[in-house]
Amino acid sequence: MNVTKGGLVLFSANSNASCVELAKKIGERLGIELGKVLVYQEPNRETRVQIQESVRGKDVFIIQTVSKDVNTTIMELLIMVYACRTSCAKTISGVIPYFPYSKQCKMRKRGSIVTKLLASMMCKAGLTHLITMDLHQKEIQGFFNIPVDNLRASPFLLQYIQEEIPDYRNAVIVAKSPSSAKRAQSFAERLRLGIAVIHGEAQDAESDMVDGRHSPPAIKNISAIHPSLEIPCTYLFFHPMLKGFLMFPKEKPPITVVGDVGGRIAIIVDDIIDDVDSFVAAAETLKERGAYKIFVMATHGLLSSDAPRLIEESAIDEVIVSNTIPHEIQKLQCPKIKTVDISMILSEAIRRINNGESMSYLFRNIGLDD
């Protein structure tokens, strides 16, 4: 049954068939069929989009999930948005469950804030509304000059814990680095569980990445100042006797687990699982501290490179991610990977926007730190 007002058109912007599954689930929940559109790659690798039905005066929702070829994914979306704009669509809303380049939302050395660039491109193409989920940094919403609804997957992940993890009352929520402690605390409070934080040299939090532009320039050869000083270079210190700058090694704290995990189920929570090395190292640390079962839970499962193999060979018992990104191939390679379906909240968001209803219901019982 169609649960939306008339004038809604739902498109999938993916040329990759595996990425269309989420769009089909959303369409089924809304009781409408996907709009007719042809998206393909020319022999010269250019993207071509052909909309095969009228969108004049209609509310268009374009669902785009990120494939391995992220740059092609972006071009597909931009071209389709612009095609709808030039075809006189009334509104054009992008449904992008995982927002690409979201990790590049801060200035690093002499790089650029790519997320801001991408936001500007989408707005310029003609996007009038964005629906996404669990942005890597909530401040990304400020890069847009259009309304942004940043939905949360935490209710679905919490439900999975309560229904699928036996004896979850004996669990502890774990942050693999201090930077993800707030998210872990939010999960722990709603489940009424304890919290643990892994801290030390094994962490690779983004906060550890320095800007890199020093003044005065970093001196790499300390022996040039004084022959007897052979010290690894990590930070500058002004020496008044030598009238110059010396570099001394920055001591990293030993890896520790703040909180008791002995004889408990450890549930590591984060927003993105991409390179799994840090999760594997965290699992080994927790195992050494006495945790007898280890789960890893995140909204977006990029699972790049040889992540399935590393997970299969690690101390991790299960990895739970949502279907914001298709990962059926990874699931075939590693049976430890489980999926939580979030099509329900995306379809409800589309329905409410199309009907002009409030979105606040979708954010009930959601903490600020989710």
Side-chain angles (χ1 to χ4, degrees):
M1 183 180 69
N2 194 324
V3 294
T4 63
K5 288 183 178 179
L8 182 148
V9 180
L10 192 67
F11 286 125
S12 174
N14 283 112
S15 58
N16 189 336
S18 65
C19 298
V20 183
E21 293 303 317
L22 180 60
K24 288 181 178 178
K25 289 183 178 180
I26 293 173
E28 289 173 2
R29 290 184 180 276
L30 292 172
I32 60 176
E33 295 184 358
L34 292 179
K36 297 176 182 177
V37 63
L38 184 62
V39 184
Y40 62 97
Q41 304 293 317
E42 295 275 14
N44 61 1
R45 303 300 298 163
E46 289 184 358
T47 299
R48 185 173 290 274
V49 174
Q50 294 179 358
I51 298 176
Q52 298 177 326
E53 64 179 83
S54 175
V55 296
R56 182 179 295 273
K58 294 184 179 181
D59 296 314
V60 176
F61 289 82
I62 301 173
I63 302 170
Q64 181 69 314
T65 49
V66 176
S67 64
K68 270 192 169 184
D69 191 352
V70 62
N71 295 324
T72 298
T73 298
I74 292 169
M75 285 306 301
E76 289 174 349
L77 176 65
L78 293 174
I79 294 172
M80 183 172 286
V81 169
Y82 189 68
C84 292
R85 176 187 174 187
T86 55
S87 298
C88 301
K90 182 181 177 183
T91 62
I92 307 168
S93 301
V95 183
I96 312 172
Y98 170 68
F99 195 82
Y101 285 96
S102 59
K103 285 188 174 183
Q104 298 188 47
C105 61
K106 295 180 180 179
M107 180 67 75
R108 303 296 185 195
K109 296 188 177 180
R110 291 179 177 84
S112 61
I113 305 176
V114 182
T115 318
K116 171 61 177 174
L117 170 64
L118 191 53
S120 300
M121 291 167 65
M122 290 181 180
C123 294
K124 192 69 176 177
L127 204 67
T128 59
H129 198 129
L130 175 66
I131 302 172
T132 186
M133 180 166 281
D134 282 335
L135 287 169
H136 188 55
Q137 296 289 340
K138 297 179 182 65
E139 293 78 8
I140 293 175
Q141 296 177 78
F143 294 161
F144 291 85
N145 55 13
I146 58 174
V148 176
D149 288 309
N150 182 26
L151 304 176
R152 306 293 196 277
S154 58
F156 299 92
L157 299 177
L158 292 170
Q159 183 180 4
Y160 185 94
I161 293 173
Q162 294 170 325
E163 296 179 357
E164 302 295 333
I165 300 180
D167 197 23
Y168 81 92
R169 290 293 182 186
N170 188 39
V172 58
I173 305 298
V174 180
K176 72 178 179 69
S177 66
S179 62
S180 57
K182 287 185 177 181
R183 177 181 294 269
Q185 182 179 358
S186 177
F187 274 63
E189 287 176 351
R190 281 184 280 173
L191 291 169
R192 293 182 172 86
L193 299 177
I195 183 173
V197 180
I198 298 176
H199 176 69
E201 60 183 5
Q203 73 184 37
D204 58 348
E206 291 183 22
S207 58
D208 295 338
M209 298 174 64
V210 296
D211 182 85
R213 289 173 288 188
H214 302 287
S215 180
I219 302 173
K220 294 185 178 180
N221 187 8
I222 299 223
S223 60
I225 299 177
H226 198 283
S228 64
L229 294 175
E230 294 291 343
I231 304 173
C233 303
T234 50
Y235 66 87
L236 287 170
F237 174 77
F238 184 78
H239 196 293
M241 298 290 291
L242 298 176
K243 296 182 180 180
F245 286 88
L246 301 181
M247 288 187 177
F248 292 92
K250 180 181 178 182
E251 294 184 3
K252 292 185 177 180
I255 188 166
T256 57
V257 178
V258 182
D260 182 22
V261 297
R264 312 283 288 278
I265 299 171
I267 304 175
I268 305 173
V269 297
D270 214 330
D271 63 329
I272 299 173
I273 300 178
D274 189 2
D275 181 6
V276 300
D277 289 339
S278 59
F279 291 95
V280 171
E284 292 175 356
T285 301
L286 293 170
K287 207 75 172 180
E288 292 172 359
R289 299 301 194 277
Y292 73 89
K293 209 164 188 181
I294 299 168
F295 294 83
V296 175
M297 185 166 282
T299 303
H300 310 296
L302 276 68
L303 302 171
S304 303
S305 189
D306 57 349
R309 179 185 62 80
L310 293 174
I311 293 171
E312 186 65 27
E313 297 172 356
S314 72
I316 298 171
D317 293 282
E318 207 168 278
V319 173
I320 303 101
V321 292
S322 73
N323 57 344
T324 55
I325 299 171
H327 48 263
E328 295 305 317
I329 296 176
Q330 290 90 332
K331 287 176 70 175
L332 293 174
Q333 297 171 342
C334 177
K336 291 183 179 181
I337 301 172
K338 308 296 179 183
T339 306
V340 174
D341 182 24
I342 45 83
S343 62
M344 178 187 296
I345 192 170
L346 292 174
S347 58
E348 180 62 14
I350 292 172
R351 188 194 69 80
R352 287 176 173 270
I353 291 171
N354 180 243
N355 294 343
E357 299 177 19
S358 172
M359 295 285 286
S360 60
Y361 178 79
L362 301 181
F363 294 94
R364 70 194 190 285
N365 303 322
I366 297 294
L368 293 174
D369 298 319
D370 270 10

